[in-house]
Amino acid sequence: MAVPRAHAGHRLRCVLAVVCALCWASSSVRFVAGQAGQLSVDASPQTARKMPDKMFGIFFEEINHAGAGGLWAELVSNRGFEAGGPNTPSNIEPWFIIGNESSIIVGTDRTSCFERNPVALRMEVLCGSKGTNVCPSGGVGVYNPGYWGMNIERRKGYKVSLHIRSSDAVSLTISLTSSDGLHKLASRTITGGKKQFTNWTKIQFRLYSSQNNTNSRLQITTTKTGVVWLDQVSVMPSDTYMGHGFRKDLASMLANLKPQFLKFPGGNYAMGQYLRNAFHWGETVGPWEERPGHVNDAWGYWTDDGLGFFEFLQLAEDLGASPVWVVNDGASINEEVPTAIIASLVKYCYHLLGLPCIFMLVVFQDVVDGIEFARGGVNTTWGSVRAAMGHQQPFKLDYVSIGNQECWMLYYRGNYQKFYSAIKAAYPDINIISSCDKSTISASNPADLYDVHVYASSANMFSRTSMFDNTPRSGPKAIVSEYAVTGNDAGKGTLVAALAEAAFLVGLEKNSDVVEMASCAPLFVNDNDRKWSPDAIVFNSWQHYGCPNYWMLHFFKDSSGATFHPTTMQVSNYDQMVASAITWQSPKDKSTYLKIKVVNFGSKAVDLNITVTGLESGIKSSGSKKTVLTSGAPLDENSFEQPEKVAPVLSPVADAKQQMGVSVSPYSLTSFDLLLEPSKHSAI
């Protein structure tokens, strides 16, 4: 995701959006009396067109704590004590000290056993269980509240891992407790003599909670005098999605969309404000303890990179989606590596620009190595690393996006061509995506796809249903990898924003001969860290809900690989409706449906006469269904208190046929799934 740049037209649209929002907010929705309209669907084989198999997918960016403290199920924040930087003593937030300076001194030093994670926590315990300086009841130590509280569930297992070093006898109690530390949910005491922990020792065990608590914390306490070092402290739920470390409820919401591709890891997150903080895939693979982590300076928080390149590939596989990897091409939001340098250096040093010397990998060979990590055999250099992580078979990585909305930058095109040539030389079948638009692509500047980002007000987004109508039908296709309604009427995810996006997607279906893929942005937001609104899925430590645009996406999850049919909409003096039609086959029972989607973006109810022609077989009178997404007001939103205030409502369609009258509500998205007779119809 890139931050949109303001201009005069944008400011005017914002003013208009404010006026519209005020009108809607003050009217409690004044729906206008209905009128009649005609929708014709040509379902003949002659006009049918197969839609791309990967038409609709999802785009994940580490923004709004979407991964760290969200989709990635790790409960400990700053588990390696590295977030304060490499210098010591450093800030250890959000770790807090239990006890005062008379009983414990806590700091950091660089004595860790991990070369790329040198910082460790040092606890000097001054009190004891007896004598003149007795420890407080419960002991002294440190605690970690996780990401705005840990959700601990009764009888569920939690895998605890930590590294310990001490020359003294050790007695550490590791506990899951209430937020004030007064009530223990589960605990284990680790003991050892003076010699047992002289060297760094990894301890692993499971804790099982005796009760539920949505705002818990991890405590490490002791009443034994001495010095103890801690490092790489982790608490992971045992029950994660597909057993691969993803928070089960959030990953299931993604799976329910049936995404055909997963684009990652950004967005601005892939770039960083500065290159030293860009996403460098090679530092995010291998054992999690050895990953250095980095500051997500694009969105303002630390990430330990537990959700790394391997995990993104694994998530795509678990969802049945094709991974689309966004690679850093030598540009951050504030910097660029000149093409001449990127073509010749393995590592780029900032002193060439008169800045401090900070090394980072940006060259195209690094990207080729990343593809080898994903696709290489177990005997290749990087394929063997993947295999050691537990995935013997290669991942199916077929798409690489070079950069993130960077065509305007000085060196993008030169760097792009270097990356394109290097990737194609090693992997000619990889589909390469350019950040430049179609007009710039040529034999000397080739691309398999070109990336399009669309951020607009709801009215403007609705008008973009025709955005690709006049696009030349030859040449590379578009991947609309980021689209979203923004502005005042978008709120934190309103009905009207979802309807505008639905109309835009209807336009993409219509133009699926020149649009290959599409995904919304952003996908997730932790309600405690809203860097961007609106988002599709909102969550905290224990709750989640889908915004109206999340539910809207369900209307399009059967479109990938389906058959598109032309439609004609006629409603006199009312231009607020768009429609599309597809035939798709249910994977459950192989039944075939004609799906007709109708977006009503306006305040009028419409009595619509639907006529379907050209079907090879008829529509069954029973077994059809109607799904409607609407609400009492255009600016209605969902919330933790009302998670399905705006959600699809399913009902049967009585006496479905090729010509029928239906009523379409104001401000609504309606889908008619008409069950087709099986005898004559065959799916395309």
Side-chain angles (χ1 to χ4, degrees), residues 87 100 112 131 163 172 177 216 254 333 404 415 420 425 430 459 479 501 506 521 540 561 589 617 629 645:
N87 296 322
N100 56 41
S112 174
H163 290 71
L172 288 176
T177 76
S216 307
L254 300 184
I333 295 170
N404 166 58
N415 290 355
Y420 182 95
I430 287 278
I479 168 173
E501 292 179 6
V506 163
N540 57 24
D589 59 9
S617 57
L629 181 69
K645 182 177 183 179

Side-chain angles (χ1 to χ4, degrees), residues 405-450:
Q405 201 173 333
E406 298 163 26
C407 194
W408 60 273
M409 297 183 80
L410 179 62
Y411 297 109
Y412 176 77
R413 296 191 193 185
N415 290 355
Y416 169 86
Q417 291 176 12
K418 298 293 184 181
F419 277 79
Y420 182 95
S421 298
I423 295 169
K424 285 292 188 179
Y427 298 95
D429 63 316
I430 287 278
N431 293 287
I432 297 181
I433 303 167
S434 170
S435 286
C436 293
D437 63 30
K438 190 168 186 171
S439 65
T440 68
I441 297 170
S442 63
S444 61
N445 186 45
D448 297 298
L449 296 163
Y450 65 99

Side-chain angles (χ1 to χ4, degrees), residues 8 15 38 52 77 93 197 228-229 252 309 312 321 330-331 348 391 400 404 450 491 504-505 508 531 551 581 680:
V15 172
Q38 174 69 42
S77 178
E93 289 184 356
F197 292 101
V228 180
W229 283 265
S252 295
F309 187 48
F312 280 120
Y348 177 69
H391 202 285
V400 170
N404 166 58
Y450 65 99
F504 178 66
L505 296 189
L508 298 190
K531 293 295 194 300
W551 293 112
K680 297 180 181 180

Side-chain angles (χ1 to χ4, degrees), residues 1 61-63 265-272 277-279 294-296 298-299 303 305 307 312 404:
M1 171 171 295
E61 179 170 7
E62 182 60 272
I63 178 177
N268 286 0
Y269 179 66
M271 302 174 70
N277 293 322
F279 180 86
H294 72 285
V295 176
N296 176 6
W299 300 112
T303 171
D305 285 326
L307 178 57
F312 280 120
N404 166 58

Side-chain angles (χ1 to χ4, degrees), residues 350-402:
Y350 282 69
H351 76 255
L352 295 170
L353 298 179
L355 298 172
C357 187
I358 302 170
F359 290 93
M360 49 78 67
L361 293 172
V362 295
V363 294
F364 35 79
Q365 182 58 47
D366 185 55
V367 176
V368 173
D369 290 344
I371 299 172
E372 181 180 276
F373 174 87
R375 294 179 40 162
V378 296
N379 295 323
T380 62
T381 300
W382 284 105
S384 64
V385 176
R386 182 202 67 243
M389 295 180 70
H391 202 285
Q392 294 286 316
Q393 296 300 315
F395 290 107
K396 190 170 175 55
L397 175 61
D398 296 325
Y399 297 87
V400 170
S401 183
I402 299 176

Side-chain angles (χ1 to χ4, degrees), residues 4 18 78 83 307 323 336 373 383 403 416 426 433 502 512 548 559 592 603 608 682:
V18 171
N78 190 18
L307 178 57
E336 287 187 84
F373 174 87
Y416 169 86
I433 303 167
S512 57
S559 294
T592 301
S603 60
L608 201 59
S682 59

